Structure formats: C-alpha cells, structure tokens
C-alpha cells in the first residue's frame, strides 16, 4: 500500500494543505489537539472532494442508464458473433459510438477519487511513523499524534502492535473496537447503497446480464471493504465511511427525484407527481418538467407507470404538453349545474341513460293503474261515425238476400271440395 500511495505523492501536498486549513478553523473551536478538530478536517476534505465530483457523478448516472438501455442490443451482438471475438468487439465499439455511451463513465467518480484517497493514506501513514509530509510540519505532526477519535489515534490500525498503540497514548482494545465498528458501518453503508440501486432503481421490464453483475457487486464490495479496512488507519476509515455515507445520500436523492424509467422508484415518483399536479394545477420545477417532457415524447412506447400517469391527468381534466407543462383539458372538465345534473363545458346538459328495470319491476303494476292499451287490445269505445252514404245497411232479420246474377263478375259460392275464389282453368287433356 505504501508503494501505491507513493505513486500519488504529486497530490499529497494539496491534500495535506487542505486538511491543515480545515484544522485551523476547527482547532479554534474544539482545540488544536482534539480528535474533533482533526476528524472534522478529514470529513470536510471528503465533502469538498465530493462536491467537486458532482459533474462526474451526473455522467456516471447517464452512462449507467445508457448501458442498461443497450444491454438487449449488446446481447444480440454477442449471440450473433459468438464465434468471432474480434468482430464482436468491433460491433460493440460501433454501438457505443452511435449511441454516445462510454462504459468507463460509470467508474469516473471512483477513479477520480482514488488519488485523494491514497494521498490521505500517505499523509496519515507519515503521522503514524513520525515523518513530516506535505504541509504538515513538526508542530502539526505532534498535534495529530495526540488526537484520538473515541480513544483511537488517527494513525492506528486494527492490526497495529500494542507497542505502536502505546506510543500514541492509547490502548489496543480501544483501537480494535473503534476500527471494527467503523469497518462494519463502512461495509453496511456500501451494501445498502448498492441494494437500493438494485431493488428500486433498476428497470424491471428488461432482464439483462447487467442486473446479475450489479447483484454480484452488491455482495462483493462490502466484503472487499471489510478485508482492506483492517489495514487502513483510523483517519482513512473516517474518510471512507464519510464518502460512503455521502454516496448513499446522493443515491437516495437521485432515486427519489430522477429515477430510472421502468423502475419501482419511477412508479412511486409519478404517483407523487400526479398528486402534486392535481393539487397545484401545474408542474413545479425544471426537473419535473424534463421528466414529463420525456414521457410525452415516448408516445406509445410508454411503460405501465407512465401510461397510468398520463391517464390520471386526463381523468383529472388535465393534459401533458410536449414542452413538459400541464394545461387544463376543457373537453374533459365537467361541472355540476344548480339542479344537480351534469353539464359539460359547452353548457348543454349531459344525456342521461334511462335506468334499466328488471323483469319483476316491469311486470309489477301499481294498484289502481290501468293497463296501457295496445293495438291488439279491443276497445269498448265506439269507432268514429261514418257518413250515412258510406255506412253499410244490414238486412233485417228474416229478409231474403238479393239473388246474385249468374255469370256476373262476382265471386260464385264455392262448392264442396273446391277452394274458394277463382279457379284456374283446366288445361286440355292430351290424347
């Protein structure tokens, strides 16, 4: 580890200078030889470095999501050129170039942070061995050696010998208890950060090998921190625990406010966004506007949570626009009139469908209600009187009917065995 730290000696002086400046501020408050002054100086160094690395963290998020999106295409290339590794690599690089994705971007924060980590390790190792390094002079060296964090010196390690710990005015038991607790907290924070990334911020609609790799790293990283942590000084453990807590909080903020599309975090975010929009009637903030704009641009390619969000806005009488804003959809808004009937925005009453009655209700008749007349029922009322010249006179009883003229055009009385009405003439028989 000393050899690795010496490789980053070019940044040792800037790191030691920053720590000394923070120690001057905190030393005036808590005392120059206290563990609070030196411990808070290391914590402030971490915060300053992580603030400077925020742009790289944003690139890491974009690169990680880009890699998740490209996983199906990468799998097709691997299956198509599984026997030609060179062609497979060429197609992969071509895919990265076309989409503007850099696989190394997801590692940028760790790579950029490593020089500061090893420089701090080099400074604390010099304090433990009694050597001045960088901006730490002899007076500051003696002050740092006296500083203890919960009874453990800054430069002590879990496997430090009892004589080395006694030279720093501490007990080996205190050192091992403090370092063990810090190692457990460091590993637990790393595990929780990776776990919330896997369970909440991963697109569940796409099953790719990338998810298996992330799941494996969720268990590998905490073990690595536990193995290497026993060889880190207490000051380095403070540094790494602080950066893990910062990463965990930063990850929670990103998952809550800018989740991965198709993840559980996105569904929860869209529910909160729908509630906020219906309460205030507008989109609040550029981040929300960017997310709504991306959802509208997807069209039919929206996932289930996005479709539910758009449909919920429509039911609430709102419509999402292409620029990410939300306007009132007058065609979907309905108001209640004074008499309780539903009225649309055009002012016309909404047509009400008649309530369907059951068969028993239709057959049931209220008492005293007359049965409705139909065309098939006989009426007892006299029909309209016809003029006298059009009324037929009936012969009196016992009077003879006038004889019909034979051979006339009238219908003759049908004989027995014959059909009524005119008969068809028989065709002449063929002899």
């Amino acid at each position: 580890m000393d050899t690795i730290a010496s490789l980053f000696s070019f940044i040792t002086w800037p790191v030691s200078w920053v720590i000394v400046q923070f120690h001057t501020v905190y030393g005036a408050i808590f005392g120059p030889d206290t563990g609070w002054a030196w411990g808070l100086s290391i914590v402030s160094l971490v915060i300053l470095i992580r603030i400077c690395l925020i742009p790289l963290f944003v690139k890491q998020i974009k690169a990680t999501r880009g890699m998740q999106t490209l996983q199906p295409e990468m799998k097709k290339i691997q299956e198509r050129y599984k026997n030609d590794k060179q062609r497979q690599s060429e197609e992969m690089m071509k895919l990265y170039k076309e989409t503007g994705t850099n696989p190394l971007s997801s590692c940028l924060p760790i790579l950029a942070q490593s020089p500061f980590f090893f420089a701090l390790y080099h400074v604390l190792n010099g304090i433990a061995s009694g050597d001045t390094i960088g901006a730490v002079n002899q007076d500051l060296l003696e002050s740092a050696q006296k500083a203890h964090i919960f009874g453990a010196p800054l430069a002590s390690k879990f496997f430090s010998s009892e004589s080395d710990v006694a030279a720093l005015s501490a007990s080996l038991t205190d050192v091992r208890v403090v370092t063990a607790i810090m190692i457990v907290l460091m590993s637990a924070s790393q595990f929780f950060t990776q776990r919330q990334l896997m369970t909440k911020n991963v697109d569940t609609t796409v099953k790719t090998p990338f998810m298996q790799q992330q799941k494996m790293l969720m268990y590998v990283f905490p073990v690595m921190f536990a193995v290497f942590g026993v060889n880190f000084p207490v000051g380095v453990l403070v540094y790494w625990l602080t950066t893990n807590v910062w990463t965990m909080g930063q990850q929670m903020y990103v998952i809550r406010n800018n989740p991965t599309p198709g993840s559980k975090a996105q569904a929860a975010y869209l529910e909160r966004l729908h509630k906020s929009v219906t309460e205030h009637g507008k989109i609040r903030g550029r981040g929300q506007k960017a997310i709504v704009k991306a959802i509208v641009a997807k069209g039919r390619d929206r996932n289930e949570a996005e479709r539910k969000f758009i449909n919920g806005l429509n039911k609430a009488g709102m419509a999402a626009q292409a620029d990410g804003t939300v306007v009132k959809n007058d065609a979907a808004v309905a108001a209640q009139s004074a008499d309780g009937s539903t009225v649309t925005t055009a002012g016309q009453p909404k047509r009400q469908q008649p309530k369907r009655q059951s068969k028993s209700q239709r057959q049931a008749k209220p008492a005293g209600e007359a049965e409705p007349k139909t065309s098939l029922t006989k009426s007892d009322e006299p029909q309209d009187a016809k003029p006298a010249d059009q009324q037929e006179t009936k012969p009196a009883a016992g009077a003879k009917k006038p004889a019909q003229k034979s051979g006339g055009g009238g219908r003759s009385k049908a004989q027995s065995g014959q059909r009524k009405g005119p008969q068809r003439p028989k065709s002449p028989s063929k002899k």
Side-chain angles (χ1 to χ4, degrees):
M1 185 68 74
D2 293 338
T3 304
I4 297 176
S6 62
L7 295 176
F8 296 94
S9 59
F10 67 93
I11 202 172
T12 300
W13 199 95
V15 169
S16 62
W17 182 84
V18 172
I19 292 178
V20 169
Q21 300 307 313
F22 281 122
H23 175 264
T24 303
V25 176
Y26 293 120
I29 301 174
F30 301 101
D33 299 336
T34 60
W36 286 105
W38 286 100
L40 290 176
S41 299
I42 297 174
V43 172
S44 300
L45 172 67
V46 175
I47 295 175
L48 179 63
I49 293 173
R50 294 308 301 266
I51 291 175
C52 296
L53 294 179
I54 287 178
L56 295 180
F57 180 74
V58 174
K59 289 185 178 181
Q60 179 192 19
I61 294 175
K62 293 181 179 179
T64 303
R65 293 185 180 178
M67 292 296 294
Q68 291 176 351
T69 306
L70 293 180
Q71 285 299 318
E73 298 296 331
M74 293 171 61
K75 189 175 182 180
K76 291 179 182 178
I77 293 175
Q78 291 174 355
E79 293 177 354
R80 185 179 303 174
Y81 305 105
K82 58 183 178 180
N83 296 326
D84 191 352
K85 298 298 182 181
Q86 183 178 358
R87 183 64 182 279
Q88 185 180 118
S89 302
E90 293 176 356
E91 293 295 329
M92 288 286 190
M93 296 304 296
K94 183 179 178 181
L95 180 63
Y96 294 150
K97 186 176 181 180
E98 290 176 352
T99 56
T101 304
N102 186 2
L104 297 178
S105 297
S106 58
C107 304
L108 284 178
I110 297 177
L111 295 177
Q113 194 178 180
S114 57
F116 301 97
F117 169 77
F118 288 111
L120 178 64
Y121 177 85
H122 198 35
V123 171
L124 294 175
N125 194 37
I127 293 173
S129 59
D131 298 331
T132 58
I133 184 171
V136 179
N137 54 28
Q138 187 64 33
D139 294 337
L140 292 173
L141 177 63
E142 294 176 359
S143 175
Q145 287 180 340
K146 294 178 183 178
H148 292 177
I149 296 178
F150 299 107
L154 288 176
S156 60
K157 305 176 185 177
F158 184 84
F159 287 131
S160 296
S161 62
E162 189 172 359
S163 59
D164 294 339
V165 174
L168 297 174
S169 303
S171 65
L172 184 60
T173 303
D174 294 339
V175 171
R176 291 188 174 178
V177 170
V178 172
T179 53
I181 293 175
M182 295 182 71
I183 290 172
V184 170
L185 293 177
M186 185 175 61
S187 300
S189 60
Q190 178 65 34
F191 176 80
F192 182 79
T193 301
Q194 196 69 22
R195 186 177 183 275
Q196 71 174 351
L197 181 65
M198 286 295 303
T199 57
K200 296 182 179 180
N201 206 37
V202 173
D203 188 358
T204 56
T205 60
V206 180
K207 302 296 182 181
T208 62
F210 181 78
M211 296 177 62
Q212 298 296 329
Q213 296 174 5
Q214 292 292 325
K215 188 175 182 180
M216 182 179 63
L217 293 176
M218 182 173 65
Y219 296 98
V220 171
F221 276 163
V223 174
M224 291 176 59
F225 278 111
V227 171
F228 291 111
V230 294
N231 296 315
F232 290 160
V234 173
V236 174
L237 292 178
V238 171
Y239 174 91
W240 207 251
L241 177 59
T242 306
T243 193
N244 278 1
V245 173
W246 177 280
T247 303
M248 182 175 63
Q250 193 171 243
Q251 189 72 46
M252 291 175 64
Y253 176 82
V254 171
I255 290 176
R256 179 176 176 81
N257 297 282
N258 192 14
T260 301
S263 62
K264 295 181 180 179
Q266 189 200 28
Y269 174 82
L270 291 179
E271 288 182 4
R272 296 193 304 269
L273 181 59
H274 176 264
K275 184 178 180 180
S276 175
V277 171
T278 52
E279 287 181 358
H280 301 91
K282 61 180 181 178
I283 296 293
R284 307 174 68 186
R286 290 182 297 177
Q288 294 181 356
K289 186 179 293 186
I291 291 177
V292 174
K293 182 179 179 181
I295 293 175
V296 174
K298 286 184 178 182
R300 296 183 178 180
D301 296 333
R302 302 186 188 109
N303 55 47
E304 183 179 356
E306 293 168 347
R307 287 193 296 268
K308 184 179 179 181
F309 172 72
I310 295 296
N311 294 335
L313 290 180
N314 293 335
K315 291 180 179 179
M318 300 179 181
Q321 303 300 307
D323 59 350
T325 59
V326 173
V327 297
K328 293 234 175 170
N329 187 9
D330 293 337
V333 178
Q336 294 291 330
S337 62
D339 57 353
S341 61
T342 304
V343 179
T344 60
T345 55
Q348 297 178 356
K350 189 175 180 180
R351 186 176 180 180
Q352 300 288 345
Q353 295 292 338
K355 188 176 180 181
R356 188 175 181 180
Q357 297 181 347
S358 62
K359 185 176 180 181
S360 59
Q361 292 175 341
R362 292 195 302 269
Q363 292 178 352
K365 300 176 185 178
E369 183 178 349
E371 183 181 359
K373 298 179 181 180
T374 61
S375 60
L376 298 180
T377 58
K378 294 182 179 180
S379 176
D380 296 334
E381 298 178 0
Q383 297 180 353
D384 296 338
K386 294 182 180 181
D389 56 348
Q390 294 182 5
Q391 291 182 356
E392 296 180 358
T393 56
K394 294 183 180 181
K400 293 183 179 180
K401 294 182 180 180
Q404 297 181 352
K405 296 180 181 180
S406 61
R411 181 179 299 177
S412 60
K413 187 176 181 180
Q415 299 178 0
S416 61
Q418 291 184 352
R419 294 182 301 174
K420 295 181 179 180
Q423 300 294 324
R424 180 180 299 176
K426 295 182 180 180
S427 60
S429 59
K430 296 181 181 180
K431 294 183 181 181

